[in-house]
Amino acid sequence: MEPTNLAHPPGTLIFGLLTFAFFALLAIVSIIAFAGEPVGWLVVPISVFFALMCASTAISFFTDRHQATSTELNFKPYFGKRTALRWSDVRSVRYVRRLRWFRLEDASGKVARISVMLTGLPGFAQHLLKGVHPSAIEPDAMQILQDTAAGN
């Protein structure tokens, strides 16, 4: 089976940049419009906070690039260096519905979080299902992985 590349679709970059621009502009307008008024002290920090969160979405378009092979998952955490997680070492696979990602953990405590927004997810699911022992995969994650591997 060929290696599978996992990356964000271009829409992630577009969404991140547009929402960043909106909140950054809102912060600038708030500074100008509410200069010296108490409401400005509330709107500006909130707008800056959301602008930074949206910027992190745009940044993840460039940083969240992983590769699944028949033996391992090569990934780079948001903060940290590129590393590999061998399928045979994976001890836990969960699907975190609230955050919409798969959480993989190996015996040494190394954790990989794979967003369901990434392209190439069916290939990732196929590699994972072949390489990870079924007892390490939680039942709800197993069903989602099987559906994903089938292209659903």
Side-chain angles (χ1 to χ4, degrees):
M1 182 185 269
E2 293 293 316
T4 300
N5 293 316
L6 299 154
H8 282 284
T12 301
L13 177 62
I14 294 166
F15 174 79
L17 291 175
L18 288 176
T19 55
F20 168 77
F22 171 78
F23 285 109
L25 184 62
L26 181 63
I28 292 167
V29 168
S30 298
I31 289 170
I32 295 168
F34 300 118
E37 294 183 33
V39 71
W41 294 106
L42 181 62
V43 174
V44 173
I46 292 172
S47 299
V48 169
F49 171 77
F50 281 111
L52 293 174
M53 294 303 293
C54 295
S56 74
T57 300
I59 291 168
S60 70
F61 174 80
F62 298 103
T63 59
D64 288 1
R65 299 194 184 269
H66 317 300
Q67 186 179 55
T69 68
S70 59
T71 58
E72 65 188 10
L73 172 69
N74 293 300
F75 70 101
K76 183 186 179 302
Y78 195 77
F79 297 108
K81 62 180 181 173
R82 183 162 293 285
T83 188
L85 191 111
R86 296 189 57 77
W87 297 127
S88 58
D89 296 338
V90 172
R91 298 293 172 248
S92 169
V93 177
R94 295 182 326 150
Y95 179 69
V96 183
R97 283 192 190 280
R98 175 171 60 92
L99 299 172
R100 296 180 44 102
W101 66 34
F102 292 101
R103 184 182 186 281
L104 290 70
E105 185 173 355
D106 72 0
S108 69
K110 193 180 334 177
V111 174
R113 292 173 181 87
I114 304 299
S115 171
V116 297
M117 292 177 53
L118 300 176
T119 60
L121 219 53
F124 159 78
Q126 292 167 5
H127 285 296
L128 187 147
L129 289 170
K130 287 183 180 176
V132 176
H133 194 276
S135 66
I137 305 172
E138 290 187 359
D140 61 331
M142 178 66 84
Q143 184 61 51
I144 294 168
L145 286 165
Q146 288 171 339
D147 290 344
T148 302
N152 300 327

